[in-house]
Amino acid sequence: EDQVTQSPEALRLQEGESSSLNCSYTVSGLRGLFWYRQDPGKGPEFLFTLYSAGEEKEKERLKATLTKKESFLHITAPKPEDSATYLCAVLRGGSNYKLTFGKGTLLTVNP
Amino acid sequence: DAGITQSPRHKVTETGTPVTLRCHQTENHRYMYWYRQDPGHGLRLIHYSYGVKDTDKGEVSDGYSVSRSKTEDFLLTLESATSSQTSVYFCAISAGGGLNTGELFFGEGSRLTVL
């Protein structure tokens, strides 16, 4: 069974304090790993797709990386507006549609 | 903005009553999905659609049915609501145009409470 484990469950940072969120996964034939941001009361917002180990994607203060067992979302010099829940999901290869989400990491950035 | 509208946004109902949630999209996307989100669980797929009248089950489909008679509308029905179906329901469309993708645009969600 595919599994996605995100850690920590919650992270509190001071503005400007860089850190990383972790997404470890087990999946049969990874087709892609996806990062989302979710604000309270809103639907998830797509951030990045990573397809293979060694790949990196960047967007503003966020950088996502991928290895064969995990992905990291690095947040550099975060601002309060980066506060949100960050979700990770993996897509299994094959003909049947199977996208498995983690439970998320709640990030709070204090000014 | 992928032009997704969910209705109702909030609903309180009683056990045993039927409930229909609507997802409407304005951009002619072929692939649409219904997810539920609960504390302590990741988003879980209920049903998805790959075209008009073409639907398939996800991992938590028991107790739910769907219909898609028009490209723009994907309906999720709880035939007889139970308290375990209290949840936030999200509709999503495929951003990249294909079915087998994790790049989804989500609606704002429908919060359902079953008493």
Side-chain angles (χ1 to χ4, degrees):
Chain A
E1 183 178 330
D2 302 341
Q3 286 193 326
V4 178
T5 303
Q6 293 189 244
S7 61
E9 291 185 11
L11 180 64
R12 192 176 291 270
L13 301 173
Q14 289 298 123
E15 185 172 2
E17 179 187 1
S18 301
S19 188
S20 297
L21 311 182
N22 178 263
C23 171
S24 63
Y25 63 90
T26 55
V27 63
S28 175
L30 179 71
R31 185 166 178 151
L33 185 142
F34 308 87
W35 282 98
Y36 285 83
R37 169 196 171 119
Q38 186 173 22
D39 293 304
K42 303 286 188 180
E45 175 189 351
F46 169 73
L47 293 173
F48 301 112
T49 303
L50 299 166
Y51 291 108
S52 57
E55 188 174 0
E56 298 183 353
K57 293 276 180 71
E58 283 190 70
K59 180 180 180 179
E60 296 181 354
R61 295 176 292 282
L62 301 177
K63 184 169 82 172
T65 61
L66 180 65
T67 72
K68 289 187 177 180
K69 294 184 178 180
E70 59 192 349
S71 176
F72 291 93
L73 186 64
H74 306 277
I75 304 175
T76 302
K79 298 182 177 182
E81 53 262 41
D82 294 321
S83 297
T85 296
Y86 290 86
L87 305 175
C88 171
V90 295
L91 182 67
R92 177 198 288 185
S95 58
N96 293 327
Y97 180 68
K98 177 67 173 165
L99 181 68
T100 303
F101 281 85
K103 297 176 185 178
T105 293
L106 174 62
L107 175 67
T108 304
V109 182
N110 295 315
Chain B
D1 184 3
I4 303 171
T5 304
Q6 291 186 230
S7 59
R9 294 291 315 281
H10 301 272
K11 186 172 182 66
V12 179
T13 191
E14 294 191 349
T15 297
T17 60
V19 175
T20 295
L21 305 180
R22 180 186 185 227
C23 178
H24 179 78
Q25 53 117 342
T26 58
E27 299 186 7
N28 211 34
H29 294 286
R30 178 178 176 185
Y31 303 103
M32 300 182 74
Y33 312 77
W34 276 109
Y35 281 86
R36 62 178 288 176
Q37 187 174 42
D38 305 288
H41 292 272
L43 284 155
R44 292 178 291 174
L45 181 65
I46 306 171
H47 283 277
Y48 61 96
S49 170
Y50 45 97
V52 173
K53 298 192 189 310
D54 291 325
T55 64
D56 207 346
K57 296 179 180 180
E59 63 182 301
V60 289
S61 60
D62 287 348
Y64 301 94
S65 62
V66 290
S67 65
R68 193 161 177 208
S69 59
K70 300 184 290 185
T71 298
E72 58 265 37
D73 288 327
F74 191 29
L75 304 181
L76 177 70
T77 296
L78 292 65
E79 301 290 347
S80 178
T82 68
S83 59
S84 65
Q85 293 176 312
T86 292
S87 187
V88 180
Y89 292 86
F90 288 100
C91 175
I93 60 95
S94 166
L99 170 67
N100 227 344
T101 179
E103 296 182 10
L104 303 176
F105 282 122
F106 285 85
E108 297 278 274
S110 295
R111 181 175 293 275
L112 176 67
T113 302
V114 184
L115 302 176

